[in-house]
Structure formats: structure tokens, C-alpha cells
Amino acid sequence: MTELTIGWLYPTLMSTYGDRGNAICLQQRAKWRGIKVQVLPLDLQSTIDDIHQVDILVGGGAQDRQQEIVMRDLKGAKAEALRQKIEAGTPGVFTCGAPQLLGHYYEPALGQRIEGLGLLDFVSKHPGPDARRCIGNVVFEVTASRLAKDLQAMLGKVAVIIGFENHGGRTYLGKVEPLGKVISGYGNNGEDGTEGSFYRNAIATYSHGPLLPKNPFVADWLIQTALAEKYQTPISLQPLDDTLAMQAREAMFKRLGVGEVVAGKR
Ligand code: GLN
């Protein structure tokens, strides 16, 4: 039987912004295809073996203080195991606070710089407690080349993602490929028009929402990629009826005044 293990990073510390919906969405969409799925929390008590057995990684947003606690735990052998998984192509979705930890460092609003895993080539800096947070709906076109191509093949059109961002930190990319180009909202820093990043099969984004129920094709890409990596054979998933989710997206595009721009990308 086909089986998947979803590794959920620090569920009690990093679920401030509703990103547990991503784990639920992956679990349910896998179940609907008859895939046996378990969600394994990867937290302070977890071992290296736990990290090694997961097929998909999910990490959510957190406040600065919780990010510090996580980073103190995510050192040494645990950090190395996570690094190996991502380098080996384990797919994952990392939202907001989670990707800040995968970059070189995060400078919180107050206090010391938090060193990250340095796996993705970017830095994140909070300009301080008085600076405006980047809050609101965000719409962006996926531009990361391999992912954009895969999603376009699935959808028959350019993939546009809608999410909700709420971050004080600003991310500045180095050589890592951006995930997308902002159509509406702030994205990585509100300055350079980039949103998120994409490395191996890891999706790093500022989009909560949660992201996957709002953009179910991304969930299917993660499941498909995880199965292909695990069973070493290309997999095509049985389609599901996503009419309601797609209608909700269209309604939001219209409400944000980007309906025509998004339609023009088809
Ligand atoms: N604490 C981080 C910031 O404000 C992350 C916030 C989040 O995960 N939504 O940038």
C-alpha cells in the first residue's frame, strides 16, 4: 500500500498563524486518493530517526520568541538531519517563520540575531518594533522554473498563488531562486517584487492562508513529488473536485482588483 509520513515541524511552537491547515490539507488529499498517511510531529522530543523517516516536511509561522526556542533545539545532529532531507529532495512547505530559520539568519525586532541553518541563500531582518508589519492578502505568480513548469502542466495555465501574509521580518535573497513574482501584496520585503524561494523541492513562502487549502494544486504537487521520491517512479494523482476552492480564489482575485491581471496570465 502507498504510504506517506508528513513531518510537522514544532507544532506547538510554530502554529501561530493557522498553518496547521497545510498538514490537514495534505493528509486529507492523500487519504482521498487511498494513500495511507500519518502526521509525525517533529518537536523538542523528536529524534534524528524521526526526521529521517518523513516524506514531506511542513513548517509554519511563529513569533520571534518561539523561533528562538526552535533554533536552540535545531542545532547539531537535528539540523544536519533536516539539511540532509532537504538536500536529498524531500518536498516541503515552509511558511514565514519556518523559512526564516532555513536561511543564514533572522534578526528579530528585539534582541540577538538568530543563526539559521544556512541552507537557503537568504537573510531575514526585522526593522524593529516600530516598523510597519507586512500584513494583508498576497497574490503572486510562481516563477521558480521547475515548479512553475510542473504546476502549469497540472493546471493547464500559469500558476498564481493567493495567500495571507503577516510578517515583520523582511527577507533578502542571495543566489536562491525566488518562488514567485508579486502581483499584489508585499512578498519577501515589499521592495524587490520577489516572494518566497524554491530550493531542491522545498517551497519557502510568506503566504499563510493556510496556503495549501487555498491553492490545492500545490498540495498535490507536494504529494506527487513525495511519492515519486519515495517509490522512485512517476506518479499521477487521481483528480479531485476543487471547484469550490477555485471559485474562492477567483472571488478573491476580483476583490483585490487583480482579476484581469490574473486572467491575462492564462
Ligand atoms: N516572527 C516572524 C516575523 O514577524 C515570523 C512571523 C510569522 O511567522 N508570521 O517576521
Side-chain angles (χ1 to χ4, degrees), residues 17 61-64 67 96-97 100 106 133 166-169 208:
Y17 300 82
Q63 292 174 26
D64 289 6
Q67 283 180 233
C96 204
Q100 289 175 350
Y106 173 53
R133 287 181 73 78
N166 182 352
H167 52 110
H208 304 285

Side-chain angles (χ1 to χ4, degrees), residues 235-253:
I235 309 269
S236 63
L237 294 174
Q238 163 205 327
L240 297 172
D241 180 2
D242 289 325
T243 313
L244 281 178
M246 295 320 246
Q247 282 175 351
R249 286 162 45 82
E250 296 300 328
M252 279 309 291
F253 293 147

Side-chain angles (χ1 to χ4, degrees), residues 6-29 39-41 57-62 93-95 98 207-214 219:
I6 299 167
W8 183 7
L9 289 166
Y10 302 91
T12 53
L13 291 164
M14 302 196 67
S15 295
T16 321
Y17 300 82
D19 298 313
R20 71 193 285 267
N22 288 337
I24 296 169
C25 177
L26 285 169
Q27 192 178 18
Q28 192 56 48
R29 292 182 76 84
V39 178
L40 182 67
L57 285 156
V58 178
V93 59
F94 303 92
T95 313
S207 294
H208 304 285
L211 175 83
L212 299 182
K214 280 190 162 176

Side-chain angles (χ1 to χ4, degrees), residues 24-264:
I24 296 169
C25 177
L26 285 169
Q27 192 178 18
Q28 192 56 48
R29 292 182 76 84
K31 269 194 198 158
W32 277 329
R33 270 73 172 237
I35 300 163
K36 191 166 168 229
V37 58
Q38 66 150 332
V39 178
L40 182 67
L42 299 174
D43 52 22
L44 301 176
Q45 287 77 40
S46 300
T47 63
I48 313 298
D49 290 343
D50 293 331
I51 297 177
H52 278 298
Q53 63 160 292
V54 309
D55 304 308
I56 304 184
L57 285 156
V58 178
Q63 292 174 26
D64 289 6
R65 215 173 71 78
Q66 279 73 21
Q67 283 180 233
E68 255 183 272
I69 302 171
V70 167
M71 251 1 252
R72 273 203 299 274
D73 186 59
L74 206 50
K75 285 230 159 83
K78 267 192 185 176
E80 187 47 36
L82 191 57
R83 186 193 318 273
Q84 281 174 18
K85 289 299 281 183
I86 294 174
E87 287 288 1
T90 301
V93 59
F94 303 92
T95 313
C96 204
Q100 289 175 350
L101 305 175
L102 299 180
H104 297 296
Y105 59 80
Y106 173 53
E107 284 177 3
L110 297 166
Q112 300 286 310
R113 179 187 276 196
I114 306 170
E115 294 301 326
L117 298 187
L119 191 54
L120 274 64
D121 187 15
F122 60 69
V123 300
S124 306
K125 305 174 191 188
H126 195 304
D130 298 331
R132 221 168 196 234
R133 287 181 73 78
C134 304
I135 301 179
N137 291 292
V138 57
V139 178
F140 64 95
E141 174 185 341
V142 177
T143 54
S145 49
R146 187 163 45 83
L147 182 65
K149 205 165 129 241
D150 286 356
L151 294 180
Q152 184 150 11
M154 282 164 79
L155 290 167
K157 59 189 175 200
V158 169
V160 174
I161 287 181
I162 177 146
F164 188 87
E165 56 187 331
N166 182 352
H167 52 110
R170 273 70 163 168
T171 292
Y172 300 92
L173 304 184
K175 288 199 183 70
V176 69
E177 196 179 14
L179 175 63
K181 199 165 115 205
V182 174
I183 296 172
S184 173
Y186 297 92
N188 282 333
N189 48 51
E191 297 161 37
D192 63 17
T194 64
E195 157 52 20
S197 49
F198 184 66
Y199 177 70
R200 311 288 289 162
N201 287 319
I203 296 172
T205 179
Y206 269 117
S207 294
H208 304 285
L211 175 83
L212 299 182
K214 280 190 162 176
N215 306 276
F217 47 90
V218 182
D220 284 357
W221 181 86
L222 289 163
I223 296 171
Q224 205 167 290
T225 306
L227 291 175
E229 289 289 324
K230 181 167 185 171
Y231 295 102
Q232 289 297 304
T233 171
I235 309 269
S236 63
L237 294 174
Q238 163 205 327
L240 297 172
D241 180 2
D242 289 325
T243 313
L244 281 178
M246 295 320 246
Q247 282 175 351
R249 286 162 45 82
E250 296 300 328
M252 279 309 291
F253 293 147
K254 264 200 205 131
R255 192 186 296 174
L256 296 171
V258 296
E260 279 178 26
V261 181
V262 172

